[in-house]
Amino acid sequence: MSNLRLRVISAIVLAIITLGLTWLGGLPFRLLCAVIAGVIFYEWTRMSRPAGATGLAFLPEALLVVFIGALIGGLGASWLLPFVVVMVATTAIAASVRKAGQWDASGLAYAAVSGLSLALLRDGDRSGLVAILFLFAVVWATDIFAYFVGRAVGGPKLAPAISPGKTRSGALGGAVGGVVAGLILGAIAGVGNLVLLSLVALVLSIVSQAGDLFESWVKRRHGRKDSGTLIPGHGGVMDRVDGLVAAAFALYVIGWISATADHPAQGLFPV
């Protein structure tokens, strides 16, 4: 089987599973978020830890297990957010004392915020469902349009030192595609303020592309081409969700500002 066909099949299977769990919401979706957080941290440490390193023993893993249990248990932002701060600070202090470097602490922050943002955005109501579908529409359209516009138009590179394949034309095409997809989803869902929604979509598209570049920088920093090998034809989970989790955090913050930390979707998607 060719690599392209393998990539397409993997992408379709992952999309079906993800959309199915998104539709269900509740515990099934939180389980998905927990898996994403756990695998992100696993791939992060596989890339960043020196071979045979045991400086922090299993402290970061133990803290992440507690966080994942709280996430699956349905705890809200008032519990999850402070715990993320505590576990990252604890890991950072332990790493400083043992001179073990700060990659584990940053990995914990990245993994936990990713899972938390997605879980709290979805919540259990229709606003949460629309919020996640809007997020998917913007991020996936950004990826698709950036790829095809970049290949068709070419031109100056966006960040050649980090990701040589990305072009400025692709980034612009991705942003336009993301905004259009977000507006279409918003109109279908009956969201009222499409002007505001277009601005949010533009922000998410830009953040999504920045998240992609950030993960590329982390991989380049540690001499890796892929974050892992879990997904056939695609590499690791981080390679697939880098832009998504960055955009999810941005949408969560925007929703928190407009509504509450526990129900961020209701401020932007009152449907």
Side-chain angles (χ1 to χ4, degrees), residues 92-182:
I93 292 170
S96 180
V97 169
R98 300 187 183 185
K99 296 181 173 55
Q102 294 296 335
W103 283 102
D104 276 10
S106 56
L108 269 181
Y110 184 51
V113 167
S114 298
L116 178 151
S117 299
L118 288 166
L120 293 180
L121 275 171
R122 175 61 181 94
D123 200 19
D125 54 21
R126 187 165 184 269
S127 292
L129 175 61
V130 173
I132 293 294
L133 293 179
F134 175 80
L135 175 71
F136 289 164
V138 172
V139 173
W140 291 349
T142 295
D143 286 345
I144 293 169
F145 277 80
Y147 176 77
F148 285 107
V149 172
R151 284 179 64 90
V153 178
K157 301 298 183 181
L158 179 64
I162 299 175
S163 185
K166 291 181 172 56
T167 62
R168 296 177 188 176
S169 62
L172 180 59
V176 172
V179 171
V180 171

Side-chain angles (χ1 to χ4, degrees), residues 18 43 45 53 67 121 132 136 142 158 183 197 203 221 229 234 239 257:
T18 301
E43 293 182 347
T45 53
F67 169 79
L121 275 171
I132 293 294
F136 289 164
T142 295
L158 179 64
L183 285 175
L197 212 61
V203 170
R221 172 68 173 75
T229 58
H234 287 276
D239 296 320
I257 293 171

Side-chain angles (χ1 to χ4, degrees), residues 29 77 101 152 169 183 193 204 209 212 250:
F29 189 76
S169 62
L183 285 175
N193 195 340
L204 296 188
Q209 297 186 62
D212 193 341

